[in-house]
Amino acid sequence: SFGYDPVGNRLSQTTTLVPMAQAEFLVFVEETVPAYAADKVACGQWREAEALALSRKELAELLPQGLATPGHHLYTLHDAASGDAVGRLWIAEQQRAGSLVAYVYDIAIAPAHRRKGHAMRAFEALEAEARALGFEGIALHVFGHNRGAQALYEKLGYQPTNIHMFKDIAAAKP
């Protein structure tokens, strides 16, 4: 189905969430480990030499049973009109102030499909999915260097709940 933006321009079709298949999960692991490692290095939390090993370790701890890990939901994002896979989304059940919420561990849109509204539509689809799963809200983390994601989340109505800041003083000499 097609929608229209506020000035009447035709928007792209719906982006749908489809439970991830095992073959897709294997690709997800191959792509997620180095991407997460790179983000942790970029934000200064990990050294490059240890980043891949730490990323693999965290993923194995979070998803010890892969796709079958209880409380985790992994989806392939599809362009409803073409049926093409355009990205992925990973959420997990978490408690927040006594409520069950969906925590977004990962969303990624394939490079060829970026800037076409898929991330925004995936989050809209996630709201409906989260309600159907009994969640009362959606939480997420965004790296400080990812200004594009921050802008998207703000546009979708997400509010900052914690902000961690850092100043590198090793390079600055008085």
Side-chain angles (χ1 to χ4, degrees):
S1 67
F2 287 91
Y4 294 86
D5 70 13
V7 292
N9 296 319
R10 188 172 165 172
L11 296 174
S12 297
Q13 60 289 341
T14 304
T15 302
T16 59
L17 310 179
V18 177
M20 196 177 281
Q22 183 62 34
E24 294 166 323
F25 178 74
L26 297 175
V27 172
F28 158 78
V29 170
E30 284 183 29
E31 293 176 352
T32 298
V33 167
Y36 183 62
D39 279 334
K40 293 294 259 187
V41 169
C43 76
Q45 289 185 305
W46 292 348
R47 291 186 312 238
E48 193 167 349
E50 65 187 3
L52 282 174
L54 289 171
S55 184
R56 278 188 205 95
K57 181 179 183 279
E58 279 198 21
L59 189 63
E61 289 171 355
L62 288 168
L63 296 170
Q65 298 173 35
L67 281 175
T69 302
H72 290 259
H73 308 271
L74 291 100
Y75 302 95
T76 299
L77 306 175
H78 285 265
D79 179 312
S82 69
D84 292 342
V86 298
R88 63 177 178 260
L89 175 67
W90 169 22
I91 63 170
E93 300 172 5
Q94 285 191 353
Q95 288 289 323
R96 182 182 173 101
S99 297
L100 187 63
V101 302
Y103 184 84
V104 178
Y105 271 100
D106 186 42
I107 181 162
I109 304 300
H113 298 285
R114 291 182 185 156
R115 301 281 178 227
K116 297 178 182 176
H118 289 294
M120 179 174 285
R121 289 190 303 275
F123 271 96
E124 291 167 353
L126 174 58
E127 288 184 26
E129 179 76 358
R131 282 188 200 96
L133 291 169
F135 296 120
E136 296 183 42
I138 301 169
L140 54 84
H141 167 271
V142 61
F143 285 102
H145 63 270
N146 195 340
R147 301 285 186 201
Q150 291 173 33
L152 171 65
Y153 302 144
E154 288 173 12
K155 185 176 181 179
L156 289 167
Y158 288 79
Q159 300 293 316
T161 57
N162 293 292
I163 299 173
H164 299 263
M165 300 178 84
F166 175 77
K167 179 178 180 180
D168 185 353
I169 61 169
K173 304 282 183 186

